[in-house]
């Protein structure tokens, strides 16, 4: 199965579990992204997920599906903010605040330079969700994360 089909299947899984509409999906050239380390990115303003074409073409299916789950969680966050429901008012307010002051990854792909990015509540939530759904759907776990 090719990775474009994996993207389609992954978005359908999350959409069904969280019961919200799938945003627009695009696969674009790496040169059109803010930095070459981006595998996928959710645009809150446009309600679309954009995937790095070069990365999609060279990656293993599990890497692609984890990225799909992560970005779909961001799409869910955006949905909650726009509709003002599904999550607590406190959670929605925190997510909206972070979206309005979003810190992008550095492009250096390391924990030191990306600490501010990685400690945002919306990123912590998306990372935890992606790991949870991989375990739930595929009975896989990532030993590097501490999630079991």
């Amino acid at each position: 199965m090719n990775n474009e089909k994996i993207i389609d299947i992954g978005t359908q899984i999350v959409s069904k579990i969280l019961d919200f509409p799938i945003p627009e999906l695009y696969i674009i050239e790496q040169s059109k992204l803010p930095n070459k380390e981006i595998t996928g990115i959710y645009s809150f303003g446009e309600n679309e997920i954009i995937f790095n074409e070069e990365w999609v073409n060279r990656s293993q299916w599990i890497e692609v599906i984890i990225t799909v789950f992560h970005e779909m969680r961001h799409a869910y966050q955006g949905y909650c903010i726009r509709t003002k429901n599904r999550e607590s008012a406190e959670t929605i307010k925190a997510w909206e605040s972070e979206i309005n002051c979003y810190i992008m990854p550095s492009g250096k792909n390391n924990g030191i330079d990306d600490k501010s990015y990685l400690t945002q509540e919306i990123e912590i939530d998306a990372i935890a969700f992606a790991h949870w759904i991989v375990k739930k759907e595929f009975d896989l776990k990532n030993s590097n994360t501490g999630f079991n």
Side-chain angles (χ1 to χ4, degrees), residues 78-131:
Y79 178 80
C80 292
I81 290 165
R82 283 188 297 282
T83 62
K84 301 290 186 216
N85 75 33
R86 300 282 179 95
E87 300 291 333
S88 72
E90 180 180 309
T91 296
I92 291 171
K93 183 179 178 183
W95 286 351
E96 188 169 22
S97 175
E98 287 188 349
I99 288 165
N100 290 331
C101 300
Y102 188 69
I103 300 167
M104 290 285 291
S106 67
K108 297 177 183 177
N109 203 21
N110 70 65
I112 294 170
D113 291 316
D114 289 330
K115 183 177 180 181
S116 295
Y117 160 73
L118 291 169
T119 56
Q120 295 173 104
E121 288 299 318
I122 57 175
E123 290 304 327
I124 293 168
D125 177 70
I127 291 165
F129 176 79
H131 286 282

Side-chain angles (χ1 to χ4, degrees), residues 9-45:
I9 291 168
T11 57
Q12 289 179 42
I13 289 170
V14 176
S15 176
K16 184 176 179 180
I17 288 172
L18 297 179
D19 188 28
F20 81 105
I22 297 170
E24 293 293 319
L25 303 172
Y26 299 97
I27 299 174
I28 67 170
E29 295 175 24
Q30 180 174 286
S31 62
K32 295 180 179 176
L33 292 166
N35 72 57
K36 66 180 176 133
E37 297 298 327
I38 291 176
T39 57
I41 189 168
Y42 174 70
S43 170
F44 289 94

